[in-house]
Amino acid sequence: MIASISSWARSKEAFAAALNDRVHEPYRAENAPLLGEVRDDLPAGALGATISGSGPTVIVWADPHHAKECSVELSNRFPDVEVLWLSTSAKGAELAR
């Protein structure tokens, strides 16, 4: 499970709504067994949760001001799961030469 930060989103509400994947998620959700549990009780400061790729990794998108608390809460709730606190890039992918 990964707790990530969305520092570039202008509207938290719009960002949270954009996380609703009705195309791919329905058939991938079974590969991410913790997704439903996390979504049913999002940690404080979380904007939403998605599946990374085809699973089982769950990404919890958090307000940058609450990311640490979100990460700690997830670690406490899921002690057998590795929680990583990551940040996003405003620049996107870059070609390394």
Side-chain angles (χ1 to χ4, degrees):
M1 185 180 308
I2 300 176
S4 186
I5 305 169
S6 170
S7 59
W8 44 265
R10 296 177 199 257
S11 165
K12 292 178 187 176
E13 294 78 16
F15 183 83
L19 298 177
N20 186 13
D21 178 358
R22 295 183 308 251
V23 177
H24 302 102
E25 210 169 81
Y27 65 88
R28 292 180 178 166
E30 68 183 36
N31 296 329
L34 293 179
L35 179 64
E37 189 174 346
V38 170
R39 276 194 175 154
D40 288 344
D41 186 19
L42 285 172
L47 301 174
T50 57
I51 301 172
S52 176
S54 61
T57 301
V58 174
I59 302 173
V60 177
W61 300 90
D63 178 292
H65 300 101
H66 301 286
K68 183 175 182 179
E69 294 87 353
C70 182
S71 179
V72 169
E73 182 177 335
L74 289 169
S75 293
N76 290 337
R77 284 175 48 193
F78 303 101
D80 296 333
V81 175
E82 182 178 10
V83 176
L84 303 173
W85 176 12
L86 306 174
S87 61
T88 57
S89 170
K91 294 190 288 185
E94 295 182 37
L95 179 61
R97 295 182 187 237

Coordinates of all heavy atoms in Angstrom, one line a residue:
M1 N 0.8 -1.2 0.0 CA 0.0 0.0 0.0 C 0.9 1.2 0.0 O 1.9 1.3 0.7 CB -0.9 0.0 1.3 CG -1.9 1.1 1.3 SD -2.9 1.1 2.8 CE -3.4 -0.6 2.7
I2 N 0.5 2.2 -0.8 CA 1.3 3.5 -0.8 C 0.5 4.6 -0.4 O -0.6 4.8 -1.0 CB 1.8 3.7 -2.3 CG1 2.7 2.5 -2.7 CG2 2.6 5.0 -2.4 CD1 3.2 2.6 -4.1
A3 N 1.0 5.5 0.4 CA 0.3 6.7 0.7 C 1.0 7.8 -0.1 O 2.2 7.9 0.1 CB 0.4 7.1 2.2
S4 N 0.3 8.5 -0.9 CA 1.0 9.4 -1.8 C 0.4 10.8 -1.6 O -0.7 11.0 -1.0 CB 0.8 9.0 -3.3 OG 1.5 9.8 -4.1
I5 N 1.1 11.8 -2.0 CA 0.7 13.2 -1.8 C 0.3 13.8 -3.1 O 1.0 13.7 -4.1 CB 1.9 14.0 -1.2 CG1 2.4 13.3 0.0 CG2 1.5 15.4 -1.0 CD1 3.7 13.9 0.5
S6 N -0.8 14.5 -3.1 CA -1.2 15.2 -4.3 C -1.0 16.7 -4.0 O -1.9 17.4 -3.5 CB -2.7 15.0 -4.6 OG -3.1 15.9 -5.6
S7 N 0.2 17.2 -4.3 CA 0.5 18.6 -4.0 C 0.1 19.6 -5.2 O 0.1 20.8 -5.0 CB 1.9 18.8 -3.7 OG 2.7 18.3 -4.7
W8 N -0.2 19.0 -6.3 CA -0.5 19.8 -7.5 C -1.9 20.0 -7.8 O -2.3 20.7 -8.8 CB 0.3 19.3 -8.7 CG 0.2 17.8 -8.8 CD1 1.1 16.9 -8.3 CD2 -0.8 17.0 -9.4 NE1 0.7 15.6 -8.5 CE2 -0.5 15.7 -9.2 CE3 -2.0 17.3 -10.0 CZ2 -1.3 14.6 -9.7 CZ3 -2.8 16.3 -10.5 CH2 -2.5 15.0 -10.3
A9 N -2.8 19.3 -7.1 CA -4.2 19.4 -7.4 C -4.8 20.7 -7.0 O -4.6 21.1 -5.9 CB -5.0 18.2 -6.7
R10 N -5.5 21.4 -7.9 CA -6.0 22.7 -7.6 C -7.3 22.6 -6.8 O -7.6 23.4 -6.0 CB -6.3 23.5 -8.9 CG -5.0 23.8 -9.6 CD -5.3 24.5 -10.9 NE -4.2 24.4 -11.8 CZ -3.3 25.4 -12.0 NH1 -3.5 26.6 -11.4 NH2 -2.3 25.3 -12.8
S11 N -8.1 21.6 -7.1 CA -9.4 21.4 -6.4 C -9.4 20.0 -5.8 O -9.4 19.0 -6.5 CB -10.5 21.5 -7.4 OG -11.7 21.0 -6.8
K12 N -9.5 19.9 -4.5 CA -9.5 18.6 -3.8 C -10.7 17.8 -4.2 O -10.7 16.6 -4.4 CB -9.4 18.8 -2.3 CG -8.1 19.3 -1.8 CD -8.2 19.5 -0.3 CE -6.9 20.3 0.1 NZ -7.0 20.6 1.5
E13 N -11.8 18.5 -4.4 CA -13.1 17.8 -4.7 C -13.0 17.2 -6.1 O -13.4 16.1 -6.3 CB -14.3 18.7 -4.6 CG -14.6 19.2 -3.2 CD -13.6 20.3 -2.7 OE1 -12.9 20.9 -3.5 OE2 -13.6 20.5 -1.4
A14 N -12.5 18.0 -7.1 CA -12.4 17.5 -8.4 C -11.4 16.3 -8.5 O -11.6 15.4 -9.2 CB -11.9 18.6 -9.4
F15 N -10.3 16.5 -7.8 CA -9.3 15.4 -7.8 C -9.9 14.1 -7.2 O -9.7 13.0 -7.8 CB -8.1 15.8 -6.9 CG -7.0 14.8 -6.9 CD1 -6.1 14.7 -8.0 CD2 -6.9 13.8 -5.9 CE1 -5.1 13.8 -8.0 CE2 -5.9 12.9 -5.9 CZ -5.0 12.8 -7.0
A16 N -10.6 14.2 -6.1 CA -11.2 13.0 -5.5 C -12.2 12.4 -6.4 O -12.3 11.2 -6.6 CB -11.9 13.4 -4.2
A17 N -13.0 13.2 -7.1 CA -14.0 12.7 -8.1 C -13.3 12.0 -9.3 O -13.8 11.0 -9.8 CB -14.9 13.8 -8.6
A18 N -12.2 12.5 -9.7 CA -11.4 11.9 -10.8 C -10.9 10.5 -10.4 O -10.5 9.7 -11.3 CB -10.3 12.8 -11.2
L19 N -10.8 10.2 -9.2 CA -10.3 8.9 -8.7 C -11.3 7.7 -9.0 O -10.9 6.6 -8.8 CB -9.9 8.9 -7.3 CG -8.8 9.9 -6.9 CD1 -8.5 9.8 -5.4 CD2 -7.5 9.5 -7.7
N20 N -12.5 8.1 -9.3 CA -13.6 7.1 -9.5 C -13.4 6.4 -10.9 O -13.9 6.9 -11.9 CB -14.9 7.7 -9.4 CG -16.0 6.7 -9.4 OD1 -15.8 5.5 -9.4 ND2 -17.3 7.2 -9.6
D21 N -12.7 5.3 -11.0 CA -12.4 4.6 -12.2 C -13.5 3.5 -12.4 O -13.5 2.4 -11.8 CB -11.1 4.0 -12.2 CG -10.7 3.1 -13.4 OD1 -11.5 3.0 -14.3 OD2 -9.6 2.6 -13.4
R22 N -14.5 3.8 -13.3 CA -15.5 2.9 -13.6 C -15.2 1.9 -14.7 O -16.0 1.0 -15.0 CB -16.8 3.6 -13.9 CG -17.3 4.4 -12.7 CD -18.6 5.1 -13.0 NE -18.6 5.9 -14.2 CZ -18.6 7.2 -14.2 NH1 -18.7 7.9 -13.1 NH2 -18.6 7.8 -15.4
V23 N -14.1 2.2 -15.4 CA -13.7 1.3 -16.5 C -12.9 0.1 -16.1 O -13.2 -1.0 -16.4 CB -13.0 2.2 -17.6 CG1 -12.6 1.3 -18.8 CG2 -13.9 3.3 -18.1
H24 N -11.7 0.4 -15.5 CA -10.8 -0.6 -15.2 C -10.9 -1.3 -13.8 O -10.7 -2.4 -13.6 CB -9.3 -0.1 -15.3 CG -9.0 0.4 -16.7 ND1 -9.0 1.8 -16.9 CD2 -8.8 -0.2 -17.8 CE1 -8.7 2.0 -18.2 NE2 -8.6 0.8 -18.8
E25 N -11.3 -0.4 -12.9 CA -11.3 -0.9 -11.5 C -12.3 -2.1 -11.2 O -11.9 -3.0 -10.4 CB -11.6 0.3 -10.6 CG -11.0 0.1 -9.2 CD -11.1 1.4 -8.5 OE1 -12.2 1.7 -7.9 OE2 -10.1 2.2 -8.5
P26 N -13.5 -2.1 -11.8 CA -14.4 -3.2 -11.4 C -13.8 -4.6 -11.6 O -14.0 -5.5 -10.8 CB -15.6 -3.0 -12.3 CG -15.6 -1.5 -12.6 CD -14.1 -1.1 -12.6
Y27 N -13.0 -4.8 -12.7 CA -12.4 -6.1 -12.9 C -11.0 -6.3 -12.2 O -10.5 -7.4 -12.2 CB -12.4 -6.6 -14.3 CG -11.6 -5.7 -15.2 CD1 -10.2 -6.1 -15.5 CD2 -12.1 -4.6 -15.9 CE1 -9.4 -5.3 -16.3 CE2 -11.3 -3.9 -16.8 CZ -10.0 -4.2 -17.0 OH -9.2 -3.5 -17.8
R28 N -10.4 -5.2 -11.8 CA -9.1 -5.3 -11.1 C -9.3 -5.3 -9.6 O -8.3 -5.7 -8.9 CB -8.3 -4.1 -11.5 CG -7.8 -4.2 -12.9 CD -7.0 -3.0 -13.3 NE -6.6 -3.1 -14.7 CZ -6.0 -2.1 -15.3 NH1 -5.8 -0.9 -14.7 NH2 -5.7 -2.2 -16.6
A29 N -10.4 -4.9 -9.0 CA -10.6 -4.7 -7.6 C -10.3 -6.0 -6.8 O -9.8 -6.0 -5.7 CB -12.0 -4.2 -7.3
E30 N -10.6 -7.2 -7.4 CA -10.4 -8.4 -6.7 C -8.9 -8.7 -6.5 O -8.5 -9.4 -5.6 CB -11.0 -9.6 -7.4 CG -10.4 -9.9 -8.8 CD -11.1 -11.0 -9.5 OE1 -12.3 -11.1 -9.4 OE2 -10.4 -11.8 -10.1
N31 N -8.0 -8.0 -7.2 CA -6.6 -8.2 -7.1 C -6.0 -7.2 -6.0 O -4.9 -7.3 -5.7 CB -5.9 -7.9 -8.4 CG -6.2 -8.9 -9.4 OD1 -6.5 -10.1 -9.1 ND2 -6.2 -8.5 -10.7
A32 N -6.9 -6.3 -5.4 CA -6.5 -5.4 -4.4 C -7.5 -5.5 -3.2 O -8.4 -4.7 -3.1 CB -6.5 -4.0 -5.0
P33 N -7.3 -6.6 -2.4 CA -8.3 -6.9 -1.4 C -8.5 -5.8 -0.3 O -9.5 -5.7 0.3 CB -7.8 -8.2 -0.8 CG -6.4 -8.3 -1.2 CD -6.2 -7.5 -2.5
L34 N -7.5 -4.9 -0.1 CA -7.6 -3.9 0.9 C -8.3 -2.6 0.3 O -8.6 -1.7 1.1 CB -6.2 -3.5 1.4 CG -5.6 -4.6 2.3 CD1 -4.2 -4.1 2.8 CD2 -6.4 -5.0 3.4
L35 N -8.5 -2.5 -1.0 CA -9.1 -1.3 -1.5 C -10.4 -0.9 -0.9 O -10.6 0.2 -0.5 CB -9.2 -1.4 -3.0 CG -9.8 -0.2 -3.7 CD1 -8.9 1.0 -3.6 CD2 -10.1 -0.5 -5.2
G36 N -11.3 -1.9 -0.8 CA -12.7 -1.6 -0.3 C -12.6 -1.2 1.2 O -13.3 -0.2 1.6
E37 N -11.8 -1.9 2.0 CA -11.6 -1.5 3.4 C -11.1 -0.1 3.6 O -11.5 0.6 4.4 CB -10.7 -2.6 4.1 CG -10.7 -2.5 5.5 CD -9.9 -3.6 6.2 OE1 -9.6 -4.6 5.5 OE2 -9.6 -3.4 7.4
V38 N -10.1 0.2 2.8 CA -9.5 1.6 2.9 C -10.5 2.6 2.4 O -10.7 3.7 3.1 CB -8.2 1.7 2.0 CG1 -7.7 3.1 1.9 CG2 -7.1 0.8 2.6
R39 N -11.2 2.4 1.3 CA -12.2 3.4 0.8 C -13.4 3.5 1.8 O -13.9 4.6 1.9 CB -12.7 2.9 -0.5 CG -11.8 3.3 -1.6 CD -12.6 3.2 -2.9 NE -11.8 3.7 -4.0 CZ -11.9 3.3 -5.2 NH1 -12.8 2.3 -5.5 NH2 -11.2 3.8 -6.2
D40 N -13.8 2.4 2.4 CA -14.9 2.5 3.4 C -14.6 3.4 4.6 O -15.4 3.9 5.3 CB -15.3 1.1 3.8 CG -16.0 0.4 2.7 OD1 -16.4 1.0 1.7 OD2 -16.1 -0.9 2.9
D41 N -13.3 3.5 4.9 CA -12.8 4.3 6.1 C -11.5 4.9 5.8 O -10.5 4.5 6.2 CB -12.7 3.3 7.3 CG -12.4 4.1 8.6 OD1 -12.6 5.3 8.7 OD2 -11.9 3.4 9.5
L42 N -11.6 6.0 4.9 CA -10.4 6.7 4.5 C -9.7 7.3 5.7 O -10.4 7.8 6.6 CB -10.7 7.8 3.5 CG -11.0 7.3 2.1 CD1 -11.5 8.5 1.3 CD2 -9.8 6.7 1.4
P43 N -8.4 7.3 5.8 CA -7.7 7.9 6.9 C -7.9 9.5 6.8 O -8.2 10.0 5.7 CB -6.2 7.6 6.6 CG -6.1 6.8 5.4 CD -7.5 6.6 4.8
A44 N -7.7 10.1 7.9 CA -7.8 11.6 8.0 C -6.8 12.2 7.0 O -5.7 11.8 6.9 CB -7.5 12.0 9.4
G45 N -7.3 13.1 6.2 CA -6.5 13.8 5.2 C -6.5 13.2 3.9 O -5.9 13.7 2.9
A46 N -7.0 12.0 3.7 CA -7.0 11.3 2.4 C -8.1 11.9 1.5 O -9.2 12.2 2.0 CB -7.2 9.8 2.6
L47 N -7.8 12.0 0.2 CA -8.7 12.4 -0.8 C -9.4 11.3 -1.4 O -10.5 11.4 -2.0 CB -8.0 13.3 -1.8 CG -7.2 14.5 -1.3 CD1 -6.4 15.1 -2.4 CD2 -8.2 15.5 -0.7
G48 N -8.8 10.1 -1.4 CA -9.4 8.9 -2.0 C -8.3 7.8 -2.1 O -7.2 8.0 -1.7
A49 N -8.7 6.7 -2.7 CA -7.8 5.6 -2.9 C -8.1 5.0 -4.3 O -9.2 4.9 -4.8 CB -8.1 4.5 -1.8
T50 N -7.0 4.5 -4.9 CA -7.1 3.8 -6.2 C -6.2 2.6 -6.2 O -5.4 2.4 -5.3 CB -6.6 4.8 -7.3 OG1 -5.3 5.2 -7.0 CG2 -7.5 6.0 -7.5
I51 N -6.3 1.8 -7.2 CA -5.4 0.6 -7.4 C -4.3 1.1 -8.3 O -4.4 1.8 -9.2 CB -6.2 -0.5 -8.1 CG1 -7.4 -0.9 -7.3 CG2 -5.2 -1.7 -8.4 CD1 -8.3 -1.9 -8.1
S52 N -3.1 0.6 -7.9 CA -1.9 0.9 -8.8 C -1.8 -0.3 -9.8 O -1.6 -1.4 -9.4 CB -0.7 0.9 -7.9 OG 0.5 1.1 -8.7
G53 N -1.9 0.1 -11.0 CA -1.9 -1.0 -12.1 C -3.0 -2.0 -11.9 O -4.2 -1.6 -11.7
S54 N -2.7 -3.2 -11.9 CA -3.7 -4.3 -11.8 C -3.8 -4.8 -10.4 O -4.5 -5.7 -10.1 CB -3.4 -5.4 -12.7 OG -2.2 -6.0 -12.4
G55 N -3.1 -4.1 -9.4 CA -3.1 -4.5 -8.0 C -1.9 -5.4 -7.7 O -1.2 -5.7 -8.5
P56 N -1.7 -5.7 -6.5 CA -2.6 -5.5 -5.3 C -2.3 -4.2 -4.6 O -2.9 -3.8 -3.6 CB -2.2 -6.7 -4.4 CG -0.8 -6.9 -4.6 CD -0.6 -6.6 -6.1
T57 N -1.3 -3.4 -5.1 CA -1.0 -2.1 -4.4 C -2.1 -1.1 -4.5 O -2.8 -0.9 -5.5 CB 0.3 -1.5 -5.1 OG1 1.3 -2.4 -5.0 CG2 0.7 -0.2 -4.4
V58 N -2.4 -0.5 -3.4 CA -3.4 0.5 -3.2 C -2.7 1.9 -3.0 O -1.8 1.9 -2.2 CB -4.4 0.2 -2.1 CG1 -5.4 1.4 -1.9 CG2 -5.2 -1.1 -2.3
I59 N -3.1 2.9 -3.8 CA -2.6 4.2 -3.6 C -3.6 5.0 -2.8 O -4.8 5.1 -3.2 CB -2.3 4.9 -4.9 CG1 -1.3 4.1 -5.7 CG2 -1.7 6.3 -4.7 CD1 -1.0 4.6 -7.1
V60 N -3.2 5.6 -1.7 CA -4.1 6.5 -1.0 C -3.6 7.9 -1.2 O -2.4 8.2 -0.8 CB -4.1 6.2 0.6 CG1 -4.9 7.2 1.3 CG2 -4.6 4.7 0.8
W61 N -4.4 8.7 -1.9 CA -4.0 10.1 -2.2 C -4.4 11.0 -1.1 O -5.5 11.0 -0.7 CB -4.7 10.5 -3.5 CG -4.4 9.6 -4.7 CD1 -5.0 8.5 -5.1 CD2 -3.3 9.8 -5.6 NE1 -4.4 7.9 -6.2 CE2 -3.3 8.7 -6.5 CE3 -2.2 10.7 -5.7 CZ2 -2.4 8.6 -7.5 CZ3 -1.3 10.6 -6.7 CH2 -1.4 9.5 -7.6
A62 N -3.4 11.7 -0.6 CA -3.6 12.6 0.6 C -3.3 14.0 0.4 O -2.4 14.4 -0.5 CB -2.7 12.0 1.7
D63 N -3.9 14.9 1.1 CA -3.6 16.3 1.1 C -2.2 16.4 1.7 O -1.8 15.7 2.6 CB -4.6 17.0 2.1 CG -4.3 18.4 2.2 OD1 -3.3 18.8 2.8 OD2 -5.1 19.2 1.8
P64 N -1.3 17.2 1.0 CA 0.1 17.3 1.4 C 0.3 17.7 2.9 O 1.2 17.3 3.5 CB 0.7 18.3 0.5 CG -0.4 19.0 -0.2 CD -1.6 18.1 -0.1
H65 N -0.7 18.4 3.4 CA -0.5 18.9 4.8 C -0.9 17.8 5.8 O -0.7 17.9 7.0 CB -1.4 20.1 5.1 CG -1.0 21.3 4.2 ND1 -1.7 21.6 3.1 CD2 0.0 22.1 4.3 CE1 -1.2 22.6 2.5 NE2 -0.1 23.0 3.2
H66 N -1.5 16.7 5.4 CA -1.9 15.6 6.2 C -1.3 14.3 5.8 O -1.8 13.2 6.4 CB -3.5 15.5 6.2 CG -4.1 16.8 6.7 ND1 -4.1 17.2 8.0 CD2 -4.8 17.7 6.0 CE1 -4.8 18.3 8.1 NE2 -5.2 18.7 6.9
A67 N -0.4 14.3 4.9 CA 0.2 13.0 4.4 C 0.8 12.2 5.5 O 0.7 11.0 5.5 CB 1.1 13.3 3.3
K68 N 1.6 12.8 6.4 CA 2.3 12.1 7.4 C 1.3 11.4 8.4 O 1.4 10.2 8.6 CB 3.2 13.0 8.2 CG 4.0 12.3 9.3 CD 4.9 13.2 10.0 CE 5.8 12.4 11.0 NZ 6.7 13.2 11.7
E69 N 0.3 12.1 8.8 CA -0.8 11.5 9.7 C -1.5 10.4 8.9 O -1.8 9.4 9.5 CB -1.8 12.6 10.1 CG -1.2 13.7 11.0 CD -0.6 14.8 10.2 OE1 -0.5 14.8 9.0 OE2 -0.2 15.8 10.9
C70 N -1.8 10.6 7.7 CA -2.4 9.5 6.9 C -1.6 8.3 6.8 O -2.0 7.2 7.0 CB -2.7 10.1 5.5 SG -3.5 9.0 4.4
S71 N -0.3 8.5 6.6 CA 0.7 7.3 6.5 C 0.7 6.6 7.9 O 0.7 5.4 7.9 CB 2.0 7.9 6.1 OG 3.0 6.8 6.1
V72 N 0.8 7.4 9.0 CA 0.9 6.8 10.3 C -0.4 6.0 10.6 O -0.3 4.8 11.1 CB 1.1 7.8 11.4 CG1 0.9 7.3 12.8 CG2 2.5 8.4 11.2
E73 N -1.5 6.6 10.3 CA -2.8 5.9 10.5 C -2.9 4.6 9.7 O -3.3 3.5 10.2 CB -4.0 6.7 10.1 CG -5.3 6.1 10.4 CD -6.5 7.0 10.1 OE1 -6.4 8.2 10.2 OE2 -7.6 6.4 9.9
L74 N -2.5 4.6 8.4 CA -2.5 3.4 7.6 C -1.5 2.3 8.2 O -1.9 1.1 8.2 CB -2.1 3.7 6.2 CG -3.2 4.5 5.4 CD1 -2.6 4.9 4.1 CD2 -4.4 3.6 5.2
S75 N -0.4 2.7 8.6 CA 0.6 1.8 9.2 C 0.0 1.2 10.5 O 0.2 0.0 10.7 CB 1.9 2.5 9.6 OG 2.6 2.9 8.4
N76 N -0.7 1.9 11.3 CA -1.3 1.4 12.5 C -2.4 0.4 12.2 O -2.6 -0.6 12.9 CB -1.8 2.5 13.4 CG -0.6 3.3 14.0 OD1 0.5 2.8 14.2 ND2 -0.9 4.5 14.4
R77 N -3.3 0.8 11.2 CA -4.4 -0.1 10.9 C -4.0 -1.4 10.1 O -4.7 -2.4 10.3 CB -5.4 0.7 9.9 CG -6.2 1.7 10.7 CD -7.0 2.6 9.8 NE -7.8 1.9 8.8 CZ -8.4 2.4 7.8 NH1 -8.3 3.7 7.6 NH2 -9.1 1.7 7.0
F78 N -2.9 -1.3 9.4 CA -2.5 -2.4 8.6 C -1.0 -2.8 8.9 O -0.1 -2.5 8.1 CB -2.6 -2.1 7.1 CG -4.0 -1.8 6.7 CD1 -4.4 -0.5 6.5 CD2 -5.0 -2.8 6.5 CE1 -5.7 -0.1 6.1 CE2 -6.3 -2.4 6.2 CZ -6.7 -1.1 6.0
P79 N -0.7 -3.3 10.1 CA 0.7 -3.5 10.5 C 1.4 -4.5 9.7 O 2.6 -4.5 9.7 CB 0.5 -4.0 12.0 CG -0.9 -4.5 12.1 CD -1.7 -3.7 11.1
D80 N 0.7 -5.4 8.9 CA 1.4 -6.4 8.1 C 1.6 -5.9 6.7 O 2.1 -6.7 5.8 CB 0.6 -7.7 8.1 CG 0.4 -8.3 9.5 OD1 1.3 -8.1 10.3 OD2 -0.6 -9.0 9.7
V81 N 1.3 -4.7 6.4 CA 1.4 -4.1 5.1 C 2.5 -3.0 5.1 O 2.6 -2.2 6.0 CB 0.1 -3.5 4.6 CG1 0.2 -2.8 3.3 CG2 -1.0 -4.6 4.5
E82 N 3.3 -2.9 4.1 CA 4.3 -1.9 3.9 C 3.6 -0.6 3.4 O 3.1 -0.6 2.3 CB 5.4 -2.3 3.0 CG 6.5 -1.2 2.9 CD 7.7 -1.7 2.0 OE1 7.6 -2.7 1.3 OE2 8.7 -1.0 2.0
V83 N 3.7 0.4 4.2 CA 3.1 1.7 3.8 C 4.3 2.7 3.4 O 5.2 2.9 4.2 CB 2.3 2.4 4.9 CG1 1.8 3.8 4.5 CG2 1.1 1.5 5.3
L84 N 4.3 3.2 2.2 CA 5.3 4.1 1.7 C 4.7 5.5 1.6 O 3.7 5.6 1.0 CB 5.9 3.6 0.4 CG 6.4 2.2 0.4 CD1 6.8 1.8 -1.1 CD2 7.7 2.1 1.3
W85 N 5.4 6.5 2.1 CA 5.0 7.8 1.9 C 5.8 8.4 0.8 O 7.0 8.6 0.9 CB 5.2 8.6 3.2 CG 4.9 10.1 3.2 CD1 4.2 10.7 2.2 CD2 5.2 11.0 4.2 NE1 4.1 12.0 2.6 CE2 4.7 12.3 3.8 CE3 5.9 10.9 5.4 CZ2 4.9 13.4 4.5 CZ3 6.1 12.1 6.1 CH2 5.6 13.3 5.7
L86 N 5.1 8.7 -0.3 CA 5.7 9.2 -1.5 C 5.2 10.6 -1.9 O 4.1 10.9 -1.5 CB 5.5 8.2 -2.7 CG 5.9 6.8 -2.4 CD1 5.5 5.9 -3.6 CD2 7.4 6.7 -2.2
S87 N 5.9 11.2 -2.8 CA 5.4 12.5 -3.3 C 5.2 12.4 -4.8 O 5.8 11.5 -5.5 CB 6.4 13.7 -2.9 OG 7.6 13.4 -3.5
T88 N 4.4 13.3 -5.4 CA 4.2 13.3 -6.8 C 5.1 14.4 -7.4 O 5.6 15.3 -6.8 CB 2.8 13.6 -7.1 OG1 2.4 14.8 -6.6 CG2 1.9 12.5 -6.6
S89 N 5.3 14.3 -8.7 CA 6.1 15.3 -9.5 C 5.2 16.2 -10.2 O 4.3 15.7 -11.0 CB 7.0 14.6 -10.4 OG 7.7 15.5 -11.3
A90 N 5.4 17.5 -10.1 CA 4.6 18.4 -10.9 C 5.1 18.5 -12.3 O 4.4 19.0 -13.2 CB 4.7 19.8 -10.2
K91 N 6.3 18.0 -12.6 CA 6.9 18.0 -13.9 C 6.5 16.8 -14.8 O 6.6 16.8 -16.0 CB 8.4 18.1 -13.9 CG 8.8 19.4 -13.3 CD 10.3 19.6 -13.4 CE 11.1 18.7 -12.6 NZ 12.6 19.0 -12.6
G92 N 6.1 15.7 -14.1 CA 5.8 14.5 -14.9 C 7.1 13.7 -15.2 O 8.2 14.0 -14.6
A93 N 7.0 12.8 -16.1 CA 8.2 12.0 -16.5 C 9.2 12.8 -17.2 O 8.9 13.7 -17.9 CB 7.7 10.8 -17.3
E94 N 10.5 12.4 -16.9 CA 11.6 13.1 -17.6 C 12.5 12.0 -18.2 O 12.7 11.0 -17.6 CB 12.4 13.9 -16.5 CG 11.6 15.0 -15.9 CD 12.5 15.8 -15.0 OE1 13.7 16.0 -15.2 OE2 11.9 16.3 -13.9
L95 N 13.1 12.4 -19.3 CA 14.0 11.5 -20.0 C 15.4 11.7 -19.4 O 16.0 12.8 -19.4 CB 14.0 11.7 -21.5 CG 14.9 10.9 -22.3 CD1 14.6 9.4 -22.2 CD2 14.9 11.4 -23.8
A96 N 16.0 10.6 -18.9 CA 17.4 10.7 -18.3 C 18.4 10.4 -19.4 O 18.2 9.4 -20.1 CB 17.5 9.7 -17.2
R97 N 19.3 11.2 -19.6 CA 20.3 11.0 -20.6 C 21.7 10.8 -20.0 O 22.1 11.3 -19.1 CB 20.4 12.2 -21.6 CG 19.1 12.3 -22.3 CD 19.1 13.4 -23.3 NE 17.8 13.6 -23.9 CZ 17.6 13.5 -25.2 NH1 18.6 13.3 -26.0 NH2 16.4 13.7 -25.6

